[in-house]
Amino acid sequence: MNRIKLLLFLLLGIIYYSGLSQEKFTVSGSISETKSNETLIGVTIAVPQLATGVTTNEYGFYSLSLPAGEYILEISYLGYQTLNKTIILNQNTKLNLQLEEAAEQLQEVVLIENVEKTDLRTPQMSVSNLAVKTIKKIPVVLGESDVIKAIVLLPGVSNAGEGSSGFNVRGGSADQNLILLDEATIFNSSHLFGFFSVFNPDAIKDIKLFKGGIPSRYGGRVSSVLEIFQKEGNSKEFKANGGIGIVASRLLLEGPIIKDKAAFLIGGRSSYAHLFLPLFDIDNKAYFYDLNTKLNFKLNDNNNIFISGYFGRDVFSISDSFVNTYGNTVGNLRWNHLFSDKLFSNLSLIYSDYYYGLKLDFVGFEWNSGIQNFNLKYDLKHYLNNNLQINYGINNIYYQFNPGKIVPSSEDSGIIEEQLIQKYANEFAAYIDIEHDLNDKLSLAYGLRLSNFNRLGQEEINVYANDNPINFNPDLQIYEKADPIGTNTRGRKTSLKTYTNLEPRISMSYQLNNDNSIKSSYTRLAQYLHLLSNTNSPTPLDVWTPSGSFIKPQLLDQYAFGYFRNLKNGDYSLETEVYYKKIKNRIDYIDGANLIANNAIEQVILNGEARAYGLEVLFRKNVGKFQGWLSYTLSKSEQRTPGRFATATNGISPLETGINNGAWYNTPYDKTHDVSVFGSYDLNEKWDINANFVFQTGQPTNYPIGQFEFQGLTVPYYGLRNSERLPNYNRLDISATLTPTKNKDRKIQGEWVFSIYNLYNRKNAASINFSNNNETGVNEAVRTSIFGIVPAVTYNFKF
């Protein structure tokens, strides 16, 4: 009997291992669209008979391993016709495929379901995707489509109000967002102080916002990653499109350099409202311009070269006596190489620069400052099998910080040229990410990032008693700058301070059935750069500074859990998430801190902590003539800086109160309730109607709680930080797009977009100031509003 059991055991083992060793072959290639050869990101390649499949990566590449046999590949992508391709697999096969754009009825009935069901299974969570077509439908101020204005309609994303630049994610500040354009860092995402973003929607190919569950290949920021890829250019035929608006216009050109082998893309935008100001005897000016470029070369089936760049500038002036200029410059040289049908690589050389400057003729000097970085990154993706894929790579960034240089504007200005001390740093990282489907229900994504930040030497370094640049005055109960006791000089090749952090990431998805799944994630991130700003939103004069001996890196731990559901076969979808995150070493400022032209910034900064938690709900209608979503966020965002701990050697007072008496206080980005509704209705072939409504809890602020007389002056005084709020914010925007029926027979096709921002003319408060009424002599609150109702019209064209 024992021998029979042994034989049966051996037989089962042979059958099992023979099944494992069944010969497999790989089908791989790229997916692109028919009209332009533009590669497509996130296309689903499914094998229904084996219930398996993969998606294309950021460069349109896929790899799928299957046993020998005959299969039907189902290739689907939102907005394109589903392609069914029959293959006989008896050897490794290269298969490049192209998809055609879908007619409206196909897009509504067929495609959404597949895309949504794929999302249920992937462990990736807290990620938002928006199609460029959707962004162009969303009504915005002055009628110009805008990426940033679109993403703030999503749950967990907000901004500091009208006329403010940047965006806030899950209660974080704008400097905690990593913004990437073709892998290059964008340090300021706004034009005209936030009225426009730097991203030309005509040049954009793909947009993805990571709010949590961030893969290990990303690092350096603790709140979010906004990743944007530009189009590659049409390698089949010349195309052009653009738009003419009331304040700005744009033009994009693309076409082949060598047909089906190489292509170019060049796009430009500019505002011109300032040209009409002299007609009204106004000398002030405010305008922007930018340029997007990209070249791609297909050397052979295994090698592709991409060269991309962006240049943008904003100019704001008051009678030529005050001129503010700022903007981004980025460039990227990328090489995609296919080592085998299972190993894909991308090597990038990246340059990024943010410049900000002032010309002050009435004072007699110019101010120039900025931040530059040089980035080398090498990423590889290894398709071990359909259930196990590994991403790994390295990344090295060299930073140069110019806090400011003062240059006299004339010889007789009396100003002496001065260069504030420049700072240097190097950030290195190595990472590994694993995507692992354990079975048909449970999927994992886990990884580890090792980051190392080296603050390099500089010309002059202050030395303080007890190594403490800030003193606490127990009599006045305030923090004061400490006087340096000397200075040191350290060469750039030396190291002032080194930080090393391990950043684990893990996400999990469990599919309950075809229409329901639950997901969870844990993310740890380190941020070594800090934006010095004591205003509620970034301004062009904000200064970036690196971590060092006195400024520690910010460290985040974030936990998230979500429930996801498809309704009526994907016609509707529901996404809900709860999150909690805590940040160590969040910088805070002593009262009265001066951040501009400060060579000793460590004298006004303390290290505190922050926390945020909330609930996010997103309900979508995905198909039909009417589509849109309802977004709701319930959240809390706070920070605190308690008094420092006194020891026998650090010279710190044991009676320190900390900032705000060491109590938690609302961050400027705390919005208890945030509701956004977007809807789009295809009325008929000619008219498309769009609308969005926004409601937010008022932004935290400070009001005076009393006043006193001092030498004949009335002086207000304030209570705890951010203990008051501006009035609640709400707004309704609408737009209508007219597409003439004659477009079908024309080479040049056009459309008219009519929009009204703030339809019911709500006077939302950007700020509330208290001043003395000259007539009554009584202090009163004065509300400042930036926009009332704003109508606009734009003409878009393409040929």
Side-chain angles (χ1 to χ4, degrees):
M1 183 65 68
N2 289 336
R3 290 181 179 180
I4 294 175
K5 289 183 178 179
L6 180 59
L7 288 173
L8 288 173
F9 179 80
L10 290 174
L11 180 60
L12 291 172
I14 291 171
I15 294 173
Y16 176 76
Y17 283 104
S18 64
L20 286 181
S21 61
Q22 182 180 10
E23 187 174 16
K24 289 188 176 183
F25 299 102
T26 300
V27 55
S28 63
S30 63
I31 309 293
S32 59
E33 64 175 22
T34 304
K35 291 183 179 180
S36 65
N37 275 341
E38 187 90 29
T39 57
L40 299 173
I41 302 172
V43 177
T44 300
I45 302 94
V47 185
Q49 62 208 86
L50 296 182
T52 189
V54 294
T55 58
T56 56
N57 69 3
E58 291 82 359
Y59 306 99
F61 177 78
Y62 74 95
S63 177
L64 187 63
S65 296
L66 304 169
E70 181 176 336
Y71 301 98
I72 297 177
L73 302 183
E74 185 178 275
I75 299 95
S76 60
Y77 188 60
L78 181 61
Y80 291 80
Q81 294 185 31
T82 297
L83 174 65
N84 292 312
K85 180 72 174 179
T86 301
I87 62 169
I88 298 175
L89 200 61
N90 51 28
Q91 62 181 356
N92 292 337
T93 303
K94 175 81 72 173
L95 184 62
N96 297 327
L97 298 169
Q98 292 194 321
L99 298 181
E100 293 186 3
E101 283 195 60
E104 285 297 320
Q105 63 269 22
L106 289 176
Q107 178 179 346
E108 291 173 2
V109 175
V110 177
L111 294 176
I112 296 291
E113 179 181 348
N114 290 335
V115 173
E116 292 295 334
K117 286 187 176 179
T118 301
D119 288 343
L120 289 178
R121 196 176 194 285
T122 176
Q124 195 172 70
M125 66 180 301
S126 307
V127 177
S128 300
N129 291 277
L130 277 181
V132 175
K133 288 182 180 179
T134 301
I135 291 173
K136 290 184 176 182
K137 289 183 177 182
I138 295 174
V140 293
V141 66
L142 302 175
E144 290 297 312
S145 302
D146 193 290
V147 172
I148 303 301
K149 298 296 189 297
I151 65 173
V152 298
L153 297 178
L154 299 172
V157 188
S158 64
N159 66 7
E162 291 173 326
S164 62
S165 60
F167 58 97
N168 309 111
V169 177
R170 290 185 169 177
S173 63
D175 71 302
Q176 294 173 338
N177 302 316
L178 177 63
I179 304 173
L180 301 173
L181 179 64
D182 277 349
E183 302 181 313
T185 303
I186 298 292
F187 286 96
N188 189 313
S189 62
S190 72
H191 281 312
L192 293 183
F193 306 103
F195 295 133
F196 299 87
S197 77
V198 301
F199 307 110
N200 182 346
D202 292 338
I204 292 174
K205 173 182 178 178
D206 187 74
I207 301 166
K208 187 175 292 185
L209 175 68
F210 297 86
K211 299 178 293 184
I214 298 174
S216 300
R217 65 180 180 272
Y218 303 107
R221 301 294 188 275
V222 294
S223 193
S224 74
V225 177
L226 176 61
E227 185 178 46
I228 298 177
F229 285 98
Q230 296 185 113
K231 293 179 179 177
E232 297 166 3
N234 192 319
S235 65
K236 284 186 175 291
E237 57 182 337
F238 177 81
K239 292 288 186 180
N241 64 283
I244 302 172
I246 59 175
V247 296
S249 291
R250 64 191 190 278
L251 178 65
L252 183 79
L253 307 174
E254 56 181 324
I257 300 174
I258 303 173
K259 191 170 183 179
D260 294 328
K261 291 288 186 180
F264 75 90
L265 178 145
I266 181 169
R269 292 188 303 168
S270 179
S271 65
Y272 40 72
H274 65 286
L275 299 177
F276 303 100
L277 295 180
L279 300 176
F280 305 96
D281 292 328
I282 299 175
D283 294 333
N284 302 344
K285 296 179 181 179
Y287 63 93
F288 75 88
Y289 56 92
D290 57 25
L291 180 70
N292 298 78
T293 60
K294 196 161 188 177
L295 302 173
N296 80 80
F297 303 89
K298 184 177 182 180
L299 303 180
N300 52 47
D301 286 342
N302 295 330
N303 294 278
N304 293 277
I305 299 293
F306 303 87
I307 303 173
S308 61
Y310 168 84
F311 176 82
R313 282 293 181 268
D314 278 73
V315 178
F316 173 69
S317 67
I318 301 176
S319 303
D320 293 329
S321 60
F322 172 93
V323 181
N324 178 204
T325 304
Y326 64 96
N328 299 276
T329 302
V330 301
N332 186 2
L333 172 61
R334 294 205 312 270
W335 171 38
N336 287 171
H337 176 64
L338 193 62
F339 285 100
S340 69
D341 52 16
K342 290 179 174 290
L343 183 58
F344 178 91
S345 71
N346 177 69
L347 175 66
S348 297
L349 301 174
I350 306 167
Y351 169 78
S352 180
D353 170 84
Y354 179 58
Y355 166 83
Y356 35 102
L358 283 174
K359 180 181 178 182
L360 304 172
D361 274 353
F362 63 93
V363 181
F365 72 87
E366 296 180 8
W367 165 279
N368 300 296
S369 53
I371 177 174
Q372 292 180 320
N373 73 50
F374 303 87
N375 186 357
L376 171 65
K377 63 191 296 285
Y378 193 38
D379 304 294
L380 300 102
K381 182 160 188 173
H382 204 154
Y383 297 81
L384 295 182
N385 55 55
N386 299 339
N387 298 322
L388 186 62
Q389 296 153 30
I390 301 178
N391 298 273
Y392 48 94
I394 58 173
N395 181 205
N396 193 82
I397 308 175
Y398 176 78
Y399 295 99
Q400 180 176 345
F401 303 82
N402 177 16
K405 182 179 182 180
I406 298 173
V407 180
S409 56
S410 62
E411 295 182 358
D412 57 351
S413 66
I415 302 295
I416 300 175
E417 181 174 323
E418 181 182 0
Q419 170 68 64
L420 298 182
I421 299 171
Q422 298 199 51
K423 301 171 185 178
Y424 308 91
N426 191 82
E427 183 176 351
F428 171 82
Y431 75 90
I432 182 170
D433 265 323
I434 300 174
E435 302 170 32
H436 195 177
D437 294 337
L438 297 180
N439 53 48
D440 59 352
K441 290 185 177 294
L442 181 61
S443 299
L444 296 177
Y446 47 95
L448 182 67
R449 183 181 182 89
L450 171 66
S451 60
N452 175 271
F453 188 82
N454 189 5
R455 174 68 182 275
L456 303 175
Q458 60 191 50
E459 293 180 357
E460 187 177 287
I461 305 163
N462 289 334
V463 178
Y464 300 93
N466 300 314
D467 208 25
N468 180 20
I470 297 179
N471 293 328
F472 182 76
N473 188 324
D475 296 326
L476 300 178
Q477 293 288 289
I478 60 173
Y479 287 94
E480 299 174 330
K481 301 177 182 178
D483 294 324
I485 59 175
T487 59
N488 280 336
T489 300
R490 300 282 294 274
R492 198 187 309 182
K493 294 182 179 181
T494 63
S495 176
L496 296 180
K497 185 70 175 180
T498 299
Y499 293 98
T500 301
N501 284 287
L502 286 174
E503 306 173 35
R505 326 278 173 88
I506 184 169
S507 301
M508 178 275 292
S509 171
Y510 185 79
Q511 192 165 355
L512 302 173
N513 52 45
N514 289 337
D515 292 317
N516 295 270
S517 69
I518 55 175
K519 300 183 182 184
S520 62
S521 68
Y522 165 74
T523 307
R524 184 172 179 84
L525 290 159
Q527 177 170 337
Y528 301 100
L529 305 187
H530 311 268
L531 182 64
L532 302 179
S533 173
N534 52 10
T535 62
N536 289 345
S537 64
T539 67
L541 291 178
D542 290 333
V543 178
W544 290 83
T545 193
S547 297
S549 301
F550 304 108
I551 304 176
K552 299 177 181 179
Q554 300 177 67
L555 299 176
L556 164 91
D557 291 290
Q558 178 172 260
Y559 306 85
F561 179 83
Y563 170 70
F564 303 81
R565 182 171 184 176
N566 281 324
L567 303 167
K568 292 189 175 181
N569 294 321
D571 292 358
Y572 302 85
S573 59
L574 175 67
E575 303 175 18
T576 61
E577 291 191 35
V578 292
Y579 67 89
Y580 175 83
K581 64 181 187 180
K582 190 169 184 178
I583 299 174
K584 298 178 182 178
N585 305 325
R586 177 60 181 160
I587 61 173
D588 208 344
Y589 309 99
I590 67 174
D591 292 331
N594 177 26
L595 305 180
I596 305 301
N598 190 340
N599 248 339
I601 202 70
E602 67 274 5
Q603 295 177 339
V604 296
I605 289 178
L606 292 172
N607 292 298
E609 60 181 334
R611 67 185 180 189
Y613 45 91
L615 164 70
E616 299 172 356
V617 179
L618 180 64
F619 178 75
R620 290 180 183 265
K621 186 179 186 299
N622 299 310
V623 300
K625 283 184 171 291
F626 175 75
Q627 299 182 25
W629 68 76
L630 166 65
S631 162
Y632 173 67
T633 306
L634 173 67
S635 62
K636 188 67 177 175
S637 175
E638 301 173 298
Q639 72 180 76
R640 71 171 177 177
T641 306
R644 295 170 297 177
F645 180 71
T647 69
T649 59
N650 63 12
I652 293 174
S653 168
L655 303 176
E656 281 193 12
T657 59
I659 302 296
N660 199 56
N661 293 327
W664 290 99
Y665 65 91
N666 296 325
T667 68
Y669 350 102
D670 177 57
K671 306 285 181 68
T672 307
H673 302 283
D674 188 346
V675 180
S676 299
V677 182
F678 168 71
S680 176
Y681 183 69
D682 292 331
L683 186 62
N684 51 45
E685 291 185 1
K686 294 177 60 177
W687 288 98
D688 182 37
I689 310 299
N690 306 284
N692 55 260
F693 172 77
V694 176
F695 172 88
Q696 294 178 348
T697 300
Q699 182 179 333
T701 189
N702 295 296
Y703 295 150
I705 60 174
Q707 62 185 32
F708 60 89
E709 296 289 333
F710 179 74
Q711 296 182 352
L713 298 175
T714 300
V715 181
Y717 62 89
Y718 296 81
L720 298 177
R721 288 192 180 185
N722 290 344
S723 56
E724 306 291 341
R725 289 186 182 270
L726 295 176
N728 292 337
Y729 180 99
N730 62 86
R731 189 189 78 241
L732 173 65
D733 313 321
I734 63 170
S735 71
T737 302
L738 171 62
T739 305
T741 54
K742 296 180 180 180
N743 267 357
K744 296 179 180 179
D745 302 321
R746 292 176 175 173
K747 185 175 181 180
I748 301 178
Q749 299 186 357
E751 66 178 21
W752 292 91
V753 181
F754 306 94
S755 65
I756 301 178
Y757 178 87
N758 196 359
L759 180 64
Y760 48 80
N761 199 30
R762 164 80 176 183
K763 301 295 184 181
N764 288 298
S767 65
I768 291 182
N769 299 306
F770 294 83
S771 60
N772 187 270
N773 188 305
N774 293 330
E775 297 181 359
T776 64
V778 178
N779 283 345
E780 61 182 10
V782 179
R783 175 186 295 200
T784 300
S785 299
I786 296 179
F787 284 121
I789 185 171
V790 182
V793 60
T794 301
Y795 177 71
N796 297 321
F797 59 88
K798 61 181 179 180
F799 57 89

